[in-house]
Amino acid sequence: EKRTMTLIEKNGYHDSVYINAAKIFQGIHTEKRKDRILVRYGDDSVSPRLTFKDEYSQRVSYELAFNALKYQDLLEEILLDSCVYPCQSIPDELTSLLVVMLYDLQDRKFQAREIFDEEEPVAEVRKIEGYLHSFRTKLAAALARCRIKHDALSIEYILPETIRKQEQRASALPLCVWINTYKISLQDVFRDLEKKGFTRVETVSDFDRYTYCVDQHCHDVLVFPSSLKEELLNLDLFADCKLLLQ
């Protein structure tokens, strides 16, 4: 039976991921000067209590939160320009959830997310989702106006050049993966990867499409091409936590 991960790429997240990402974002969002505050995020003096289903849920929650942080100014501009914010029915305490879910919505090209039957619905998530979905045309138009104003092909080009260069370097780095030797042996991992069509090579310089190598200094660490990230995360080895992404 095929094992699945918490996130199905571009189809959305579980409700719990949105909630955790919003709590993380609440604590890390950029505070504006009082005379420049247009979007209010409520009280963040209390440290949030985070509950993750697994390591993968934790990782994607932080990724979503930090992506929202990276584009905070743009997301706030979209909310204001579209007149989606402010809204009397949405308290300041849910603004972080609004921003986080808006980032994910535009990343999915404003398409509806896939609802997972097995998950427990979270009322706040469904409320914000319904609100954003009802204004998706205005939100998409506001995003288009931002791109025209910045002469940007995509939102990535709206970022400062220094951040874009950092992201380009990071995306090109090989992926390091730990073998969880409490659950599986190295040889069993090699056999499983071979069955999945992966070929073991000597060094990173020998990388092709479905290839990997063993780290020269840590023999329980494997290195893969960066282009294989999503495919790797959908393997049973990751679902069962036999392999862990560095």
Side-chain angles (χ1 to χ4, degrees), residues 27-55:
I28 64 175
H29 72 273
T30 302
E31 292 281 357
K32 307 290 176 61
R33 294 202 318 257
K34 288 187 177 181
D35 59 340
R36 293 184 57 207
I37 292 178
L38 297 175
V39 177
R40 301 185 180 278
Y41 289 93
D43 182 21
D44 59 357
S45 59
V46 179
S47 298
R49 179 176 297 178
L50 302 173
T51 304
F52 301 106
K53 292 181 179 179
D54 48 41
E55 184 270 341

Side-chain angles (χ1 to χ4, degrees), residues 50-245:
L50 302 173
T51 304
F52 301 106
K53 292 181 179 179
D54 48 41
E55 184 270 341
Y56 191 74
S57 297
Q58 180 179 10
R59 187 171 61 80
V60 296
S61 296
Y62 275 96
E63 282 184 358
L64 181 56
F66 277 92
N67 277 328
L69 175 65
K70 185 168 58 177
Y71 292 103
Q72 179 181 334
D73 289 343
L74 172 65
L75 296 170
E76 290 180 356
E77 186 177 349
I78 292 172
L79 287 172
L80 294 167
D81 183 44
S82 63
C83 297
V84 170
Y85 181 92
C87 173
Q88 290 185 346
S89 64
I90 297 179
D92 292 348
E93 288 71 25
L94 291 182
T95 302
S96 287
L97 183 60
L98 183 70
V99 171
V100 162
M101 295 191 73
L102 174 58
Y103 172 81
D104 179 59
L105 182 62
Q106 67 78 34
D107 194 41
R108 289 184 278 114
K109 311 300 181 187
F110 296 94
Q111 298 299 309
R113 72 168 170 140
E114 178 178 332
I115 299 297
F116 302 89
D117 293 335
E118 73 277 8
E119 72 171 314
E120 186 72 24
V122 178
E124 293 87 350
V125 171
R126 301 301 169 94
K127 175 182 179 179
I128 296 298
E129 181 175 40
Y131 181 69
L132 289 173
H133 189 72
S134 66
F135 288 101
R136 64 188 184 280
T137 301
K138 288 186 176 182
L139 290 166
L143 173 59
R145 286 192 291 271
C146 288
R147 287 173 52 189
I148 292 171
K149 183 175 72 173
H150 293 279
D151 192 25
L153 294 173
S154 64
I155 64 170
E156 288 81 7
Y157 290 94
I158 299 177
L159 293 173
E161 186 177 358
T162 53
I163 296 180
R164 292 207 310 271
K165 287 182 177 180
Q166 288 174 358
E167 290 204 325
Q168 288 170 358
R169 287 195 294 268
S171 64
L173 290 174
L175 302 172
C176 292
V177 173
W178 289 93
I179 298 175
N180 185 355
T181 53
Y182 288 103
K183 289 194 170 187
I184 193 170
S185 69
L186 276 65
Q187 294 304 319
D188 284 341
V189 170
F190 299 153
R191 279 193 291 268
D192 199 308
L193 288 173
E194 184 178 359
K195 290 178 182 178
K196 296 291 192 301
F198 289 86
T199 301
R200 183 177 167 186
V201 295
E202 291 299 320
T203 66
V204 172
S205 60
D206 298 322
F207 275 174
D208 198 354
R209 185 71 175 97
Y210 291 98
T211 53
Y212 71 97
C213 66
V214 178
D215 187 272
Q216 295 180 354
H217 305 289
C218 300
H219 297 306
D220 57 351
V221 173
L222 305 181
V223 185
F224 291 84
S226 58
S227 59
L228 295 178
K229 181 177 180 180
E230 298 307 325
E231 294 179 68
L232 288 173
L233 292 175
N234 283 314
L235 293 178
D236 294 345
L237 289 168
F238 282 88
D240 295 328
C241 296
K242 294 176 180 177
L243 292 182
L244 304 171
L245 188 64

